[in-house]
């Protein structure tokens, strides 16, 4: 039976949910992009001074990894709460935690004035960021997808996925403006702090949107039927191990690919290719701007042609392009720009369908917990160690092709995850599908 259009009130709720999902993940990735850019450009000097620039960069990226390692804790705590007390309440808490931690980083003393206390506080705040992010993504995905009809879930769930390029665009744009109007000494001395302090604006906007949002129709339906779980974390591990494995493995390739083309490329371009900081940031900005359109497009394509098909094309293309990139990048700024754009294009083909694919692996009553665990566990084995591994591999071998091989392996892991995953939702999801509820 075909579904009739959703009533106007439900469409307004869907649009509001899309905005709430997008604003939260944009803040999340603004914070993470500001940190990753600062880690590549200034944190090594400010918090981990050393006579060896490589050591400082490795230590700075080590704190970047802490933000990933702490994510499973956030996934467990907030994922459980999201399935028990609801999506909306948890997402307000995660937004506040991420925003406060990022604002705090902007106020930190440096190693020159506080010694070992400075990097210690940096790691603690980075850890808190990661805990918040661990609970944010799963809820943001459900916020938009659970207001949408099943046949459009790929597109609407992609709201959470647009957050990374939009947040990256905002973060690098702010850093580029600061680097352009300030001298290097001013930027290193205090200018970088402004980018972190500006997160307060995004927090305020996100809270305003989320405070006026209703609970998702899926969670309301589950509550009315008395199907909220008592111990969702234990239940996910006990009853849905294949779904969790598929969710984790499918996310490894996109995480690693993003670590190359949006994070490590800043270090590679400035320190290996000897380009300016502005040129490196510009390449990431252009690629991120295009992703704002490409990611929803990929989500829509997954609705029309299947999640796994679109996702797999991105994985294969990303693997091949990562090897070619290191030869292309030697050609200068234009070549670097093309390399980043194409790399992020293939990332978009994976990232657009990813939210719906991961959420659909789990029973509706366990979906917040399962999605959060899949997201956070993949981050530990994928995005957390990738910049560190890239830095070490390049220093040891002197060639980027080894990094390309690393990404090929990660994309193969993703293809295995796609093979394990299921392509259709089950009966309980149909029963609480908003599109189906609209015709009752």
């Amino acid at each position: 039976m075909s579904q009739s259009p959703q009533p106007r009130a439900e469409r307004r709720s869907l649009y509001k949910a899309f905005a709430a999902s997008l604003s939260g993940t944009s803040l999340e990735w603004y914070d993470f992009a500001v940190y990753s850019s600062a880690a590549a450009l200034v944190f090594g000097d400010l918090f981990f001074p050393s006579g060896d620039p490589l050591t400082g960069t490795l230590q700075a990226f080590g704190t970047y990894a802490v933000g990933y390692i702490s994510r499973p804790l956030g996934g467990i705590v907030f994922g459980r709460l999201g399935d028990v007390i609801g999506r909306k309440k948890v997402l307000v808490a995660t937004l506040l935690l991420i925003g406060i931690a990022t604002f705090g980083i902007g106020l930190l003393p440096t190693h020159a004035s506080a010694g070992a206390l400075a990097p210690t506080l940096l790691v603690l705040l980075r850890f808190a960021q990661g805990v918040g992010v661990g609970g944010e993504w799963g809820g943001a995905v459900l916020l938009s997808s659970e207001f949408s009809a099943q046949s459009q879930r790929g597109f609407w769930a992609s709201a959470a996925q647009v957050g990374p390029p939009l947040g990256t665009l905002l973060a690098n744009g702010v850093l580029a403006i600061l680097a352009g109007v300030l001298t290097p000494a001013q930027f290193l001395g205090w200018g970088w702090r402004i980018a972190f302090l500006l997160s307060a604006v995004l927090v305020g906007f996100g809270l305003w949107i989320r405070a006026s949002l209703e609970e998702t129709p899926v969670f309301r339906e589950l509550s009315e039927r008395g199907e909220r779980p008592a111990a969702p974390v234990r239940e996910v591990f006990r009853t849905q191990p294949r779904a969790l494995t598929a969710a984790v493995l499918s996310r490894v390739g996109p995480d690693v690919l993003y670590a190359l083309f949006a994070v490590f490329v800043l270090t590679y371009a400035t320190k290996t290719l000897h380009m300016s900081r502005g040129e490196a940031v510009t390449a990431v900005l252009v690629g991120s701007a295009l992703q704002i359109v490409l990611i929803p497009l990929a989500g829509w394509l997954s609705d029309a042609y299947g999640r796994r098909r679109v996702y797999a094309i991105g994985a294969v293309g990303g693997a091949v392009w990562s090897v070619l990139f290191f030869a292309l990048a030697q050609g200068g700024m234009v070549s670097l720009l093309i390399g980043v754009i194409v790399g992020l294009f293939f990332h978009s083909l994976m990232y657009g369908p990813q939210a719906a694919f991961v959420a659909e692996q789990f029973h509706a009553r366990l979906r917040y917990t399962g999605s959060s665990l899949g997201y956070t566990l993949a981050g530990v084995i994928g995005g957390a160690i990738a910049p560190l591994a890239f830095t070490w591999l390049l220093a040891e071998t002197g060639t980027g092709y080894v990094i390309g091989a690393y990404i090929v392996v990660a994309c193969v892991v993703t293809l295995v995850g796609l093979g394990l995953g299921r392509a259709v939702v089950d009966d309980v999801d149909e029963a609480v599908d908003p599109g189906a509820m609209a015709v009752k």
Side-chain angles (χ1 to χ4, degrees), residues 113-170:
S113 58
L117 179 63
T120 300
L121 292 174
L122 179 64
V123 170
L124 289 175
L125 289 174
R126 180 64 174 168
F127 185 90
Q129 268 189 335
V131 171
V133 170
E136 168 71 25
W137 186 83
V141 167
L142 302 189
L143 201 60
S144 53
S145 67
E146 289 188 346
F147 273 100
S148 69
Q150 175 194 328
S151 61
Q152 301 172 344
R153 191 173 290 156
F155 172 77
W156 291 106
S158 70
Q161 306 300 82
V162 178
L166 183 57
T168 298
L169 186 65
L170 290 171

Side-chain angles (χ1 to χ4, degrees), residues 34-67:
V34 163
Y35 187 95
S36 62
S37 296
L41 300 174
V42 299
F43 277 180
D45 295 328
L46 295 176
F47 291 92
F48 307 97
S50 170
D52 178 14
L54 173 63
T55 300
T57 300
L58 284 170
Q59 290 174 322
F61 278 141
T63 56
Y64 174 87
V66 167

Side-chain angles (χ1 to χ4, degrees), residues 72-433:
L73 176 60
I76 291 171
V77 173
F78 292 116
R80 178 188 182 281
L81 290 173
D83 280 327
V84 174
I85 67 174
R87 308 350 183 176
K88 175 184 172 179
K89 294 177 182 178
V90 172
L91 285 171
V92 170
T94 58
L95 189 70
L96 281 171
L97 180 57
I98 297 169
I100 291 171
T102 305
F103 190 85
I105 290 175
L107 300 176
L108 285 179
T110 63
H111 190 278
S113 58
L117 179 63
T120 300
L121 292 174
L122 179 64
V123 170
L124 289 175
L125 289 174
R126 180 64 174 168
F127 185 90
Q129 268 189 335
V131 171
V133 170
E136 168 71 25
W137 186 83
V141 167
L142 302 189
L143 201 60
S144 53
S145 67
E146 289 188 346
F147 273 100
S148 69
Q150 175 194 328
S151 61
Q152 301 172 344
R153 191 173 290 156
F155 172 77
W156 291 106
S158 70
Q161 306 300 82
V162 178
L166 183 57
T168 298
L169 186 65
L170 290 171
N172 284 292
V174 167
L175 289 170
I177 292 172
L178 292 172
V181 300
L182 301 176
T183 66
Q186 289 173 327
F187 181 81
L188 189 66
W190 54 267
W192 62 272
R193 297 181 183 275
I194 296 174
F196 286 89
L197 298 177
L198 283 175
S199 65
V201 177
L202 290 174
V203 171
F205 177 75
L207 287 175
W208 175 66
I209 291 289
R210 290 185 177 184
S212 62
L213 190 67
E214 297 179 354
E215 186 55 80
T216 72
V218 170
F219 186 79
R220 293 200 307 268
E221 183 82 2
L222 291 170
S223 298
E224 291 170 5
R225 289 158 50 178
E227 293 190 12
R228 286 185 291 178
V233 176
R234 184 167 65 246
E235 194 171 339
V236 166
F237 280 105
R238 188 182 72 249
T239 65
Q240 303 198 310
R242 177 167 178 164
L244 183 59
T245 302
V248 171
L249 297 185
S250 68
R251 279 190 36 80
V252 172
D255 267 13
V256 174
L257 198 67
Y258 188 81
L260 171 61
F261 289 110
V263 180
F264 181 75
V265 71
L266 296 171
T267 298
Y268 182 73
T270 55
K271 296 188 177 181
T272 301
L273 302 179
H274 306 295
M275 295 182 180
S276 70
R277 178 184 301 166
E279 288 175 325
V281 170
T282 296
V284 174
L285 284 175
V286 174
S288 297
L290 291 174
Q291 278 201 298
I292 294 173
V293 176
L294 290 173
I295 287 174
L297 176 61
W300 176 81
L301 288 172
S302 78
D303 287 326
Y305 300 104
R307 313 260 187 261
R308 291 190 290 187
R309 180 177 300 172
V310 176
Y311 209 134
I313 291 172
V316 173
V320 173
W321 187 252
S322 295
V323 177
L324 298 177
F325 167 74
F326 289 98
L328 179 68
Q330 306 296 322
M333 173 58 190
V334 174
S335 297
L336 178 73
L337 179 62
I338 293 171
V340 170
I341 288 173
V342 176
L344 291 179
F345 166 75
F346 286 120
H347 176 263
S348 298
L349 291 182
M350 291 188 280
Y351 212 62
Q354 183 185 98
F357 176 82
V358 170
E360 287 173 345
Q361 300 309 304
F362 301 97
H363 190 290
R365 61 193 295 276
L366 300 171
R367 194 175 284 157
Y368 201 138
T369 300
S371 297
S372 297
L373 287 174
Y375 175 78
T376 57
L377 293 175
V380 172
I381 63 177
I385 63 174
L388 283 168
F390 294 165
T391 303
W392 183 83
L393 287 170
L394 187 63
E396 289 295 310
T397 66
T399 176
Y401 293 110
V402 178
I403 297 174
Y406 184 105
I407 295 175
V408 169
V409 173
C411 289
V412 170
V413 170
T414 284
L415 292 173
V416 172
L418 294 177
L420 288 173
R422 60 192 179 101
V424 295
V425 294
D426 58 21
D427 291 337
V428 69
D429 295 320
E430 293 278 5
V432 295
D433 177 56

